[in-house]
């Protein structure tokens, strides 16, 4: 399901470090060499490169990259080079500090990572920012969004396959009743969405569909412009169909006037080692255009080459 391509014969870490050092020296930066190395190494290999580079040259690789490349290309390379947990911590911090109702990074991190991955991201957050993620979300997010997002990022859900079908049936009724009453911020809706396991939630949403003859998200479209309802729908879609959720984020990022590079970069760098192949398939099915072609049309130069490399394309 990943699109990351790693060569069969990966050079020794010391050689990768030497080549990266060469890319940073001389007349101009060799951006292609940076892409050829970093965009074709998995998380463990990138971690080893960072450690060896710091030991060999007395300088953090991320700092060297900061000095040599800039703009959206820099952001893509830096995000990709970070450990997944550290990357999630950085993305969560950015969104928490500059919170706006249309933000989706916190929802994605809380709902599409495993409980262990979310825990690792929160540990990385502690280490990097000397605060908790929950603390910063509570400090910067307000109103009904705070009521929803603080418990969402605080959760440590059960990760097993077991399902209580009678509970799913009763909680589907609770959800329908609260939604019918337009009590979208009710503590029962928040409790169910922020505490139940993924398997239990899927059973609840299926029961909702069976009992009321339509998906729960249809009832959450009462006001399509209401960002709180959009956030509830995003949470549900992240659990039920993450590939189609991410496809939509990418489609909106490149399909409107002006590219939303931050969203595009976030999805490609966070999913390239996970399920970007499924997202590509969903994009092709929805838009009748290969995702690589759409990205190439909407991006340029080194930034384009980096994203295409992570998408598994030849460039």
């Amino acid at each position: 399901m990943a699109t990351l391509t790693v060569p069969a014969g990966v050079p020794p870490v010391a050689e990768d470090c030497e080549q990266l050092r060469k890319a940073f020296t001389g007349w101009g930066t060799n951006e292609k060499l940076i892409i050829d190395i970093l965009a074709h190494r998995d998380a463990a290999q990138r971690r080893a490169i960072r450690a060896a580079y710091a030991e060999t040259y007395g300088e953090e690789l991320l700092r060297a990259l900061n000095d040599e490349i800039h703009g959206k290309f820099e952001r893509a390379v830096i995000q990709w080079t970070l450990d997944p947990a550290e990357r999630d911590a950085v993305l969560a911090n950015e969104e928490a500090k500059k919170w706006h109702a249309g933000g989706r990074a916190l929802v994605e991190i809380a709902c599409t990572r495993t409980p262990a991955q979310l825990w690792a991201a929160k540990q990385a957050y502690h280490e990097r920012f000397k605060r908790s993620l929950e603390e910063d979300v509570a400090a910067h997010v307000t109103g009904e969004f705070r009521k929803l997002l603080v418990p969402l990022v605080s959760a440590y859900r059960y990760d097993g396959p077991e399902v209580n079908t009678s509970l799913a049936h009763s909680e589907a009724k609770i959800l329908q009743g609260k939604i019918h009453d337009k009590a979208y911020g009710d503590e029962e809706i928040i409790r169910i969405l922020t505490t139940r396991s993924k398997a239990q939630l899927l059973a609840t949403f299926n029961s909702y569909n069976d009992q009321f003859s339509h998906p729960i998200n249809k009832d959450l479209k009462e006001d399509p412009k209401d960002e709180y309802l959009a956030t509830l729908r995003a949470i549900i879609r992240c659990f039920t169909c993450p590939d189609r959720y991410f496809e939509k984020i990418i489609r909106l990022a490149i399909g409107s006037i002006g590219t939303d590079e931050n969203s595009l970069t976030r999805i490609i760098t966070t999913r390239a080692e996970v399920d970007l192949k499924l997202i590509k398939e969903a994009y092709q099915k929805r838009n009748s255009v290969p995702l690589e072609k759409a990205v190439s049309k909407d991006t340029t130069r080194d930034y384009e080459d980096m994203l295409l490399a992570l998408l598994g394309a030849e460039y």
Side-chain angles (χ1 to χ4, degrees), residues 243-264:
D243 54 334
R244 285 188 284 150
Y245 164 84
F246 287 121
E247 180 278 326
K248 183 176 181 180
I249 297 295
I250 290 178
R251 174 164 33 94
L252 294 176
I254 61 180
S256 55
I257 299 174
T259 306
D260 179 359
E261 287 95 355
N262 284 351
S263 293
L264 181 61

Side-chain angles (χ1 to χ4, degrees), residues 108 243-256 259-260 263-269 271 276 279-280 283 287 291-292 294-295 298 311:
E108 293 164 11
D243 54 334
R244 285 188 284 150
Y245 164 84
F246 287 121
E247 180 278 326
K248 183 176 181 180
I249 297 295
I250 290 178
R251 174 164 33 94
L252 294 176
I254 61 180
S256 55
T259 306
D260 179 359
S263 293
L264 181 61
T265 299
R266 183 181 78 249
I267 304 308
I268 290 179
T269 57
R271 309 313 292 182
L276 191 51
I279 297 166
K280 285 171 57 175
Y283 189 93
N287 304 283
L291 180 54
E292 294 93 333
V295 168
D298 231 49
L311 282 163

Side-chain angles (χ1 to χ4, degrees), residues 51-283:
Y53 191 94
E55 183 178 348
T56 303
Y57 300 109
E59 179 184 26
E60 236 290 336
L61 176 60
L62 297 181
R63 182 175 293 277
L65 289 167
N66 258 315
D67 290 342
E68 294 296 327
I69 58 179
H70 307 285
K72 52 200 174 187
F73 175 55
E74 175 195 2
R75 183 174 176 84
V77 172
I78 294 292
Q79 275 191 22
W80 174 248
T81 305
L82 289 167
D83 267 356
E86 192 179 3
R87 181 198 302 133
D88 280 347
V90 170
L91 290 169
N93 177 259
E94 286 180 354
E95 182 160 291
K97 282 169 51 180
K98 299 178 181 178
W99 168 251
H100 63 97
R104 291 290 179 264
L106 288 170
V107 167
E108 293 164 11
I109 292 165
C111 301
T112 66
R113 284 25 166 197
T114 66
Q117 289 168 341
L118 176 57
W119 178 252
K122 292 195 287 187
Q123 287 180 307
Y125 200 101
H126 285 173
E127 185 174 340
R128 189 178 184 101
F129 301 109
K130 313 307 177 190
R131 297 182 304 278
S132 72
L133 173 57
E134 295 89 338
E135 178 183 358
D136 278 353
V137 172
H140 298 287
V141 181
T142 59
E144 56 191 356
F145 288 99
R146 179 196 284 164
K147 264 179 67 179
L148 175 64
L149 291 178
V150 170
L152 193 71
V153 301
S154 302
Y156 191 86
R157 302 172 192 270
Y158 171 64
D159 200 25
E162 288 78 9
V163 165
N164 183 325
T165 52
S166 62
L167 180 65
H169 187 77
S170 64
E171 291 195 332
K173 284 186 175 180
I174 291 172
L175 289 171
Q176 196 277 337
K178 298 300 182 183
I179 293 170
H180 179 267
D181 293 339
K182 298 185 176 13
Y184 305 117
D186 188 273
E187 62 182 16
E188 285 291 89
I189 291 181
I190 293 172
R191 175 187 64 80
I192 293 167
L193 293 181
T194 63
T195 63
R196 296 304 185 199
S197 71
K198 178 179 179 179
Q200 187 66 41
L201 283 173
L202 292 179
T204 299
F205 301 147
N206 285 334
S207 179
Y208 193 107
N209 196 20
D210 291 342
Q211 291 185 67
F212 307 110
S213 302
H214 56 263
I216 183 173
N217 268 2
K218 182 176 180 180
D219 285 343
L220 290 170
K221 288 184 178 176
E222 178 72 20
D223 180 358
K225 295 183 180 179
D226 185 315
E227 282 294 349
Y228 183 78
L229 292 184
T231 301
L232 291 179
R233 295 196 302 272
I235 290 170
I236 292 165
R237 286 176 66 82
C238 280
F239 283 114
T240 58
C241 48
D243 54 334
R244 285 188 284 150
Y245 164 84
F246 287 121
E247 180 278 326
K248 183 176 181 180
I249 297 295
I250 290 178
R251 174 164 33 94
L252 294 176
I254 61 180
S256 55
I257 299 174
T259 306
D260 179 359
E261 287 95 355
N262 284 351
S263 293
L264 181 61
T265 299
R266 183 181 78 249
I267 304 308
I268 290 179
T269 57
T270 58
R271 309 313 292 182
E273 289 183 276
V274 185
D275 57 358
L276 191 51
K277 189 174 288 186
L278 293 178
I279 297 166
K280 285 171 57 175
E281 291 171 1
Y283 189 93

